[in-house]
Amino acid sequence: MENIKIDLTNAIPFIDLTDFNKYEKLTAEKNDLLKSKSGKGNEFLGWNNLPNEIPSELISEINLTAKHLNQISEIIVVIGIGGSYLGSKAVIEALSGNFDYLNTNKKNSTILYAGHNLSEDYHYELLNYIKDKTFSIIVISKSGTTTEPSIAFRLLRKEIEDRFGKEQASKRIVAITDSSKGALRELANKEHYKTFDISDDIGGRYSVLTPVGLLPIACAGFNIKDIILGAKSMLKQSEENPFNNNPTYQYAAIRNALYLEGRTIEILANSTPRLNFISEWWKQLFGESEGKENKGIFPASASFTTDLHSIGQYIQDGIRNVFETIISIEKTKYNLSIPTDIDNLDKLNYLEGKSMDYVNKMAELGTSIAHSDGQVPNIKISMPELNEFYIGELLYFFEKSCAISGYLLEINPFDQPGVEAYKNNMFSLLGKPGFEEKSALINKRLKKN
Amino acid sequence: MENIKIDLTNAIPFIDLTDFNKYEKLTAEKNDLLKSKSGKGNEFLGWNNLPNEIPSELISEINLTAKHLNQISEIIVVIGIGGSYLGSKAVIEALSGNFDYLNTNKKNSTILYAGHNLSEDYHYELLNYIKDKTFSIIVISKSGTTTEPSIAFRLLRKEIEDRFGKEQASKRIVAITDSSKGALRELANKEHYKTFDISDDIGGRYSVLTPVGLLPIACAGFNIKDIILGAKSMLKQSEENPFNNNPTYQYAAIRNALYLEGRTIEILANSTPRLNFISEWWKQLFGESEGKENKGIFPASASFTTDLHSIGQYIQDGIRNVFETIISIEKTKYNLSIPTDIDNLDKLNYLEGKSMDYVNKMAELGTSIAHSDGQVPNIKISMPELNEFYIGELLYFFEKSCAISGYLLEINPFDQPGVEAYKNNMFSLLGKPGFEEKSALINKRLKKN
């Protein structure tokens, strides 16, 4: 069985190699902190051994629910923000064909998202688009009172109840929420929605392997069992492999070493557009875990070769505080070779009969060398192919590396205190009950300007 | 007539205001360099007065060509990389409804892109998707030998000629290329394709207001005349308005002042997902213009409130080398207000009857204040609404600001020397004729590793 591999060839020259050896001990220590639950944020470690703990009954229940929703819906609207939508969207896009979104005859329902923004036009157009289609809702919120998903759920619940009647609507709504408390749990109990629990010990950005991520992924027609098997495989490697052969240790170590050398921007790059949303998921995972106490690596993304004709110039020649992590897929799904042309005006005949992926791989290799020569360290992550198993490995690889990396940085990788700041101001400006004093203060301050 | 406005309220406190006054003189000087064509890269200034110079005959010709392509095609494939696809994709996504891509009965052809990457699966799936649909090609390349678009054009030209015959194929291919030389011009002449010229004095990232951007935009059904009117309006403001009321001067000045204060990452943020690809266009414009000589601001992007639950944590609490530029749309296209709910379990009744956009605006304002309090300067750009005219203003606003900003940074904003590095390695690895020596060197070097 092949696995995801990490290659540091083009990163090692940029750090002190003797010094790097210290990470052998450090990464194992940080992993022990996770296992013994004795580090910062230890109330949020439910994701750590999760791949070994998911009961097969839960998988069956998720698959049955997905089957039911598919049977009664052309569209399934997933309502959630942050970790409640990024994981499933990332996985669905990675596993779908590039043009599947245009296929109106596909076997599975189309998954659309709502409540991940406050755009009035977006939600108006969504309601307008689904008005003549059968649809269901998966609403994801631990509290049931987060502003964005709550507003979207009010709008969509009204639509579904008006269209199908309250009783039928209840069969078209699945709630993923707290197991016992909160507004959404209360409503779900009252209206007899099918529900799945959000554990207290798994934060949003670590929730992709819970029903939060798995139900929408199953609805889109993908094999969630294989995703979990992949995650399990990476968990095993991260527990058992020695430092030199442990991808999670290697990645956490090298990015910490590069950070200490002044590399404060990491670009996650790929060579296939299907991974673009994995980068969005990754940005939340690492940005929200590490960006605190005025520390952390700024997470950015690029898609090659596309963006070599965009921020490629900056990477090659800009400020030297950047490093890259490039995800490479070893095997394509399809085969397409470059046709011959008698005239050869475009001078491509030297590539005649070569696969397009061969050219892509040489571009990838050429880029790694060029960026390394331009003083940009780059890390290579190889995936044997793009399927459920390796996506599972990739997800858990990033989750575990991120936790270890956060501990190396000596922050709490599992909280997100900064996310409250905009919310508090928003509530004050909106005059939310309970924010009267803050409301008066912010309005006074704005008048002064 | 309203215009795009820039508001520096939350950025000014982070710079030395006395010092900022020097930019009044500096920005005007840099703009004079552009007008007199006496600065660096002065061979690429064709974009500067372009909005005033586009002949109405060219607009008519583009619109007629778009009409013709629409009549004979369900799909129009635009082949191009970098500036040859970013501008049109950005504008089409900004002006399209959020779910228009799912509408199979729309009036205009669906625009798809190719040759902007080397993904074998992407191009295989594209060929597979169009195999039972009528399609046309717009191929965009100055030289006709850029690897990515050339390979895609070979594949798609073969498909179109096999399907429709060589003569009919010629009526389904439009080439946008050099006016007299190069592989694509030669082929177009031979095969009698309809062509549009790429001027020698306009680089890829400044080409959105030439046929490169305008033809695909017209094909998608948008009014290119209004886009140009918007650009013209911003050109006029940038030429005539005094410093304090000149958005291009203000933006160039503040970002330079922030850069000198150590702000080396700029995040372009929006409050509506329709602008997400404008951010991709903007990243190329600024990243490729400024990222050189180990200088320049690293361009990144975010979509609010979505990403406040992602890199929002980093922005609030991470390393303080970040600033933001937030595009706000004053007026929505549609109206949607928050319905009441007797039970009020989600506690949203305090927002009952309020428009969703009102909540979005309070989130935006709350975020600006929170980020400013968290020591992240932010610049606000207001667009009265999302239509062709204001998109035209926005495009030219960024183009002109970028040129002035690049001159303030004392680099050549119009070259991209770093883009050659990966290409040279790729050609050497692929064994391209003419690269024999470099080929031997790179292979020797790889063997050593």
Side-chain angles (χ1 to χ4, degrees):
Chain A
M1 184 89 209
E2 282 186 291
N3 291 302
I4 284 185
K5 280 192 177 51
I6 186 165
D7 179 350
L8 305 185
T9 308
N10 289 317
I12 290 291
F14 297 92
I15 56 161
D16 180 339
L17 197 53
T18 335
D19 198 44
F20 191 65
N21 293 331
K22 76 175 183 214
Y23 287 101
E24 178 162 1
K25 192 163 161 277
L26 278 175
T27 48
E29 277 171 15
K30 302 308 178 193
N31 199 18
D32 285 342
L33 281 184
L34 292 171
K35 281 192 282 188
S36 61
K37 302 198 178 188
S38 48
K40 284 179 187 172
N42 56 6
E43 65 275 37
F44 293 109
L45 291 172
W47 59 271
N48 192 22
N49 197 39
L50 181 69
N52 288 331
E53 292 167 352
I54 304 172
S56 63
E57 297 75 31
L58 179 61
I59 300 298
S60 304
E61 197 186 340
I62 291 173
N63 281 329
L64 270 175
T65 307
K67 200 176 157 191
H68 161 71
L69 293 178
N70 262 291
Q71 277 164 349
I72 58 167
S73 334
E74 291 166 81
I75 308 288
I76 299 171
V77 182
V78 177
I79 301 176
I81 195 164
S84 300
Y85 96 102
L86 282 161
S88 71
K89 192 164 195 286
V91 172
I92 292 169
E93 289 200 6
L95 295 174
S96 299
N98 288 287
F99 300 92
D100 285 2
Y101 69 98
L102 292 168
N103 181 358
T104 45
N105 292 316
K106 60 176 170 289
K107 220 175 65 214
N108 291 82
S109 312
T110 297
I111 311 291
L112 298 177
Y113 291 85
H116 57 313
N117 64 50
L118 288 165
S119 166
E120 186 160 330
D121 285 346
Y122 181 92
H123 288 86
Y124 179 96
E125 289 167 347
L126 175 63
L127 285 168
N128 189 52
Y129 177 70
I130 61 176
K131 75 168 185 295
D132 54 0
K133 295 173 189 71
T134 55
F135 76 101
S136 299
I137 297 171
I138 299 172
V139 53
I140 306 170
S141 176
K142 181 131 175 93
S143 66
T145 53
T146 303
T147 311
E148 292 88 341
S150 299
I151 291 177
F153 186 45
R154 260 202 190 196
L155 290 164
L156 283 151
R157 183 157 66 99
K158 191 174 176 315
E159 175 70 15
I160 212 166
E161 289 179 354
D162 289 354
R163 283 261 300 280
F164 301 95
K166 228 173 163 164
E167 204 190 309
Q168 284 304 310
S170 289
K171 293 177 184 155
R172 292 182 172 273
I173 299 176
V174 177
I176 306 180
T177 188
D178 190 272
S179 63
S180 62
K181 61 186 184 304
L184 184 54
R185 170 56 61 184
E186 210 176 317
L187 182 69
N189 287 346
K190 191 179 153 229
E191 303 290 347
H192 307 291
Y193 300 155
K194 166 79 192 158
T195 62
F196 290 92
D197 295 347
I198 296 180
S199 314
D200 286 329
D201 60 355
I202 301 179
R205 59 187 176 273
Y206 274 90
S207 69
V208 61
L209 299 173
T210 74
V212 169
L214 297 175
L215 180 59
I217 294 168
C219 287
F222 299 109
N223 186 333
I224 57 173
K225 219 170 169 172
D226 283 356
I227 294 175
I228 294 161
L229 282 177
K232 220 167 155 167
S233 154
M234 185 55 70
L235 167 56
K236 192 168 185 294
Q237 294 168 60
S238 80
E239 296 296 318
E240 297 177 3
N241 289 15
F243 180 68
N244 282 328
N245 193 25
N246 188 320
T248 59
Y249 286 5
Q250 292 279 308
Y251 184 52
I254 192 73
R255 57 197 302 288
N256 194 259
L258 289 167
Y259 176 73
L260 296 177
E261 295 285 338
R263 302 289 171 165
T264 52
I265 299 174
E266 178 176 8
I267 300 172
L268 186 69
N270 61 54
S271 300
T272 174
R274 280 168 59 166
L275 294 179
N276 287 354
F277 222 82
I278 289 283
S279 300
E280 294 304 310
W281 171 81
W282 171 92
K283 279 185 204 170
Q284 189 207 19
L285 181 63
F286 280 85
E288 212 171 52
S289 297
E290 296 191 330
K292 46 198 72 158
E293 298 178 22
N294 296 351
K295 293 199 267 192
I297 297 167
F298 182 85
S301 63
S303 187
F304 293 163
T305 59
T306 304
D307 292 330
L308 295 173
H309 296 250
S310 169
I311 59 162
Q313 168 65 39
Y314 191 101
I315 300 172
Q316 193 68 48
D317 291 336
I319 298 178
R320 306 295 73 188
N321 59 350
V322 175
F323 71 98
E324 292 168 298
T325 298
I326 303 170
I327 305 178
S328 177
I329 314 284
E330 286 168 36
K331 228 179 94 202
T332 60
K333 194 166 173 190
Y334 303 105
N335 296 309
L336 192 62
S337 57
I338 295 160
T340 192
D341 179 81
I342 297 174
D343 293 339
N344 194 31
L345 289 173
D346 57 15
K347 300 194 183 78
L348 284 181
N349 276 357
Y350 78 104
L351 297 173
E352 178 197 331
K354 292 276 198 307
S355 76
M356 200 161 173
D357 189 56
Y358 169 71
V359 185
N360 205 14
K361 290 286 191 299
M362 292 305 107
E364 202 178 282
L365 179 56
T367 301
S368 295
I369 299 169
H371 289 178
S372 167
D373 288 348
Q375 303 306 307
V376 173
N378 52 85
I379 300 158
K380 182 176 171 177
I381 295 169
S382 304
M383 282 173 82
E385 53 187 307
L386 203 43
N387 62 21
E388 280 94 337
F389 182 86
Y390 294 116
I391 284 290
E393 279 207 331
L394 188 72
L395 296 172
Y396 192 84
F397 162 73
F398 280 133
E399 286 185 353
K400 176 63 76 81
S401 311
C402 181
I404 296 174
S405 193
Y407 279 166
L408 288 171
L409 198 62
E410 296 182 335
I411 49 84
N412 176 354
F414 307 112
D415 66 356
Q416 52 284 331
V419 179
E420 298 310 309
Y422 97 91
K423 287 191 201 171
N424 285 330
N425 286 344
M426 175 178 72
F427 293 145
S428 309
L429 290 162
L430 290 170
K432 185 174 174 165
F435 283 78
E436 290 77 5
E437 250 177 75
K438 283 185 182 165
S439 208
L441 279 172
I442 203 164
N443 284 320
K444 195 173 153 193
R445 181 172 159 189
L446 284 169
K447 256 180 218 147
K448 260 195 208 154
N449 280 339
Chain B
M1 182 90 209
E2 282 186 291
N3 292 302
I4 284 184
K5 280 192 177 49
I6 185 165
D7 178 349
L8 305 186
T9 308
N10 289 317
I12 289 293
F14 297 91
I15 57 160
D16 179 339
L17 198 54
T18 336
D19 199 45
F20 192 64
N21 293 331
K22 76 174 183 213
Y23 286 102
E24 178 162 2
K25 192 160 161 275
L26 277 174
T27 47
E29 278 173 14
K30 301 309 178 193
N31 199 18
D32 285 344
L33 281 183
L34 292 170
K35 281 193 281 188
S36 62
K37 302 197 177 187
S38 49
K40 285 178 186 171
N42 56 6
E43 66 274 39
F44 293 109
L45 291 172
W47 59 272
N48 191 23
N49 197 40
L50 182 68
N52 289 330
E53 290 168 352
I54 304 171
S56 62
E57 296 76 30
L58 180 61
I59 300 299
S60 304
E61 198 185 339
I62 291 172
N63 281 329
L64 270 175
T65 306
K67 200 176 157 190
H68 162 72
L69 293 178
N70 262 292
Q71 276 163 349
I72 60 168
S73 333
E74 292 166 80
I75 308 287
I76 299 171
V77 183
V78 177
I79 301 175
I81 195 164
S84 298
Y85 96 102
L86 282 162
S88 70
K89 192 165 193 291
V91 172
I92 291 168
E93 289 200 8
L95 295 174
S96 298
N98 287 287
F99 300 92
D100 285 1
Y101 69 99
L102 292 167
N103 181 358
T104 45
N105 292 317
K106 59 176 172 289
K107 221 175 65 213
N108 291 84
S109 312
T110 296
I111 311 291
L112 299 176
Y113 290 85
H116 58 311
N117 64 51
L118 287 166
S119 166
E120 187 160 328
D121 286 345
Y122 180 93
H123 287 86
Y124 179 95
E125 288 167 347
L126 175 64
L127 285 167
N128 189 53
Y129 178 70
I130 62 176
K131 75 170 184 295
D132 54 359
K133 294 173 190 74
T134 54
F135 76 100
S136 299
I137 296 171
I138 298 171
V139 53
I140 306 170
S141 175
K142 180 129 175 98
S143 65
T145 55
T146 303
T147 310
E148 291 89 341
S150 299
I151 291 177
F153 186 46
R154 261 204 189 195
L155 290 164
L156 283 151
R157 184 157 67 98
K158 192 175 176 313
E159 175 69 16
I160 212 167
E161 289 178 354
D162 289 353
R163 283 262 299 281
F164 301 93
K166 230 175 161 164
E167 205 189 310
Q168 284 305 310
S170 289
K171 293 178 185 155
R172 291 181 172 273
I173 299 176
V174 176
I176 306 181
T177 188
D178 190 272
S179 63
S180 62
K181 59 187 185 305
L184 184 54
R185 170 56 61 184
E186 211 176 316
L187 182 69
N189 287 346
K190 193 179 151 227
E191 303 291 346
H192 307 291
Y193 300 154
K194 167 77 192 159
T195 63
F196 289 93
D197 296 347
I198 297 180
S199 314
D200 286 329
D201 59 355
I202 301 178
R205 60 186 175 275
Y206 275 91
S207 69
V208 60
L209 300 174
T210 74
V212 169
L214 297 176
L215 180 59
I217 294 167
C219 287
F222 299 109
N223 186 333
I224 57 174
K225 220 170 168 169
D226 282 356
I227 295 176
I228 294 162
L229 282 178
K232 220 167 154 166
S233 153
M234 185 55 69
L235 167 56
K236 191 167 185 292
Q237 294 168 60
S238 80
E239 296 297 318
E240 297 177 4
N241 290 16
F243 180 68
N244 282 328
N245 192 26
N246 188 321
T248 60
Y249 284 7
Q250 291 279 310
Y251 184 52
I254 191 73
R255 58 196 304 285
N256 195 259
L258 289 167
Y259 176 74
L260 296 177
E261 296 285 338
R263 303 287 171 166
T264 52
I265 298 174
E266 177 176 9
I267 300 172
L268 186 69
N270 60 53
S271 302
T272 175
R274 281 167 59 166
L275 293 179
N276 286 354
F277 223 81
I278 289 282
S279 300
E280 294 304 310
W281 172 81
W282 171 90
K283 280 184 203 170
Q284 188 206 20
L285 181 63
F286 280 85
E288 212 171 53
S289 297
E290 295 190 331
K292 46 196 72 159
E293 299 176 22
N294 297 350
K295 295 199 267 192
I297 297 167
F298 182 84
S301 61
S303 188
F304 295 161
T305 59
T306 302
D307 292 331
L308 295 174
H309 296 249
S310 170
I311 57 163
Q313 167 65 39
Y314 192 101
I315 300 172
Q316 192 69 46
D317 291 337
I319 298 179
R320 307 293 74 188
N321 60 350
V322 175
F323 72 98
E324 292 168 298
T325 297
I326 303 169
I327 305 178
S328 177
I329 313 286
E330 287 168 34
K331 225 179 96 200
T332 60
K333 195 165 171 189
Y334 303 105
N335 297 310
L336 193 61
S337 57
I338 294 161
T340 190
D341 181 80
I342 297 174
D343 293 339
N344 194 31
L345 289 173
D346 56 16
K347 301 194 182 76
L348 283 180
N349 275 358
Y350 78 104
L351 296 173
E352 179 196 332
K354 292 275 198 307
S355 77
M356 199 162 175
D357 190 56
Y358 168 71
V359 184
N360 204 14
K361 291 286 191 296
M362 291 306 106
E364 202 178 282
L365 179 56
T367 301
S368 295
I369 297 170
H371 290 179
S372 169
D373 288 349
Q375 304 304 309
V376 173
N378 52 83
I379 299 157
K380 181 174 172 179
I381 295 169
S382 305
M383 282 175 79
E385 55 187 308
L386 202 44
N387 63 19
E388 282 94 337
F389 182 86
Y390 294 116
I391 284 290
E393 279 205 332
L394 187 72
L395 296 171
Y396 192 84
F397 163 72
F398 280 132
E399 287 186 353
K400 175 63 76 79
S401 310
C402 180
I404 295 173
S405 192
Y407 279 165
L408 288 172
L409 199 61
E410 294 181 338
I411 48 84
N412 176 353
F414 307 111
D415 65 358
Q416 54 284 329
V419 179
E420 298 310 310
Y422 97 91
K423 287 191 200 172
N424 284 330
N425 286 344
M426 173 177 73
F427 293 144
S428 308
L429 290 162
L430 290 170
K432 184 175 176 165
F435 283 78
E436 291 76 6
E437 251 178 75
K438 283 184 182 165
S439 208
L441 280 171
I442 203 164
N443 285 319
K444 197 173 151 192
R445 181 173 158 188
L446 284 170
K447 256 180 220 147
K448 261 193 210 156
N449 281 339

